[in-house]
Amino acid sequence: MLLASLEGYGVNVENVMTTPGVSSGIAVILLDDERQNYIVGVYGANMACDEVQLQAASRALEGADALLLQMEVPLAVSLEAAGLARRKGVPVLFDPAPPSELPGSAYAAFDVIAPNQSEAEVLTGVAVDGVDSALDAARILRARGAGTAIVKLGEQGVVYSADTSEGHVPAFTVEAVDTVAAGDGFAGAIAVALAESRPLERAVRFAAAAGALAVTRRGAQDAMPGRAEVERLLDAQASGS
């Protein structure tokens, strides 16, 4: 069912592997009165990823434009995949969700790290409650070795910090239904934008638009916007409409 859904959206699932006798990873998503989400993960086959998947990843990285990683597979596997990508000259983007402390040596493996508020606090110890504290957290992440740090602030927008620039992208004004998969939409879109060599500020704005559209719909896969929708939202903001 999961593979059929992905194929319906045009996703190439050729390299998706299955593990007999193990459930697919699932997430039980809880919403509070403010429409914020809390996720209980049961990772199933995700946690069975091992050397076999790394070998497949190594093949897939030939000629790839970017590698996007997160923390729903064993961390050791993700870090090894990051090393493979770096050796092949493929940029590595890391979405540290769900949050967990990382070894200090891990940060240098990431060209881009993009936590949300709570994830940034777990990683840095900074209580992220606004733009200034988010920038403080981003600078700490970069000091630990990450190339670029991006911190997502929900309705307060996104901040970014890199060698040559820092900034804040305000949130887009949308009618939120639930916040499930906003981070996923952002992660996918920032990977696309940076793979297309968009300047950092424009890439962050593109990703923020994708994340904003995701909160206007219920669910996860079904909430993901297409490129045309993202571009329309960007154009509407630019025109002031």
Side-chain angles (χ1 to χ4, degrees):
M1 180 180 68
L2 293 169
L3 293 177
S5 177
L6 289 170
E7 288 181 306
Y9 287 107
V11 177
N12 182 348
V13 299
E14 179 182 347
N15 289 315
V16 177
M17 297 183 180
T18 60
T19 302
V22 180
S23 71
S24 295
I26 63 171
V28 179
I29 302 169
L30 312 175
L31 292 176
D32 65 15
D33 291 341
E34 303 298 322
R35 299 179 182 175
Q36 298 299 308
N37 71 80
Y38 300 85
I39 300 175
V40 180
V42 182
Y43 296 115
N46 292 33
M47 288 300 165
C49 289
D50 57 18
E51 185 63 31
V52 174
Q53 280 71 45
L54 283 171
Q55 291 174 4
S58 181
R59 294 190 294 270
L61 284 167
E62 296 295 338
D65 295 310
L67 173 65
L68 175 60
L69 298 168
Q70 37 70 41
M71 296 182 73
E72 291 175 317
V73 300
L75 179 60
V77 172
S78 287
L79 294 179
E80 182 62 30
L84 288 171
R86 295 298 292 271
R87 290 191 288 274
K88 294 175 183 289
V90 177
V92 178
L93 297 90
F94 187 61
D95 184 359
S100 178
E101 293 185 2
L102 294 172
S105 59
Y107 293 89
F110 310 136
D111 295 284
V112 178
I113 187 168
N116 64 19
Q117 288 172 266
S118 60
E119 294 154 4
E121 183 170 350
V122 169
L123 294 176
T124 67
V126 174
V128 177
D129 57 9
V131 172
D132 290 341
S133 56
L135 279 171
D136 289 340
R139 291 164 185 153
I140 290 172
L141 295 172
R142 290 191 56 239
R144 292 179 181 174
T148 294
I150 296 168
V151 179
K152 297 164 284 186
L153 294 168
E155 63 186 14
Q156 297 182 72
V158 185
V159 303
Y160 59 90
S161 176
D163 280 341
T164 58
S165 64
E166 286 188 338
H168 170 235
V169 173
F172 289 80
T173 301
V174 295
E175 183 64 34
V177 174
D178 72 55
T179 58
V180 173
D184 300 310
F186 185 98
I190 195 73
V192 168
L194 292 176
E196 294 176 346
S197 300
R198 298 193 188 205
L200 180 58
E201 191 273 342
R202 288 181 54 201
V204 171
R205 193 174 299 279
F206 181 84
L213 287 167
V215 309
T216 65
R217 304 165 186 162
R218 298 189 186 279
Q221 280 191 22
D222 291 341
M224 294 298 98
R227 178 190 290 270
E229 296 173 274
V230 175
E231 297 288 3
R232 282 196 297 271
L233 182 57
L234 290 166
D235 289 343
Q237 188 201 53
S239 66
S241 58

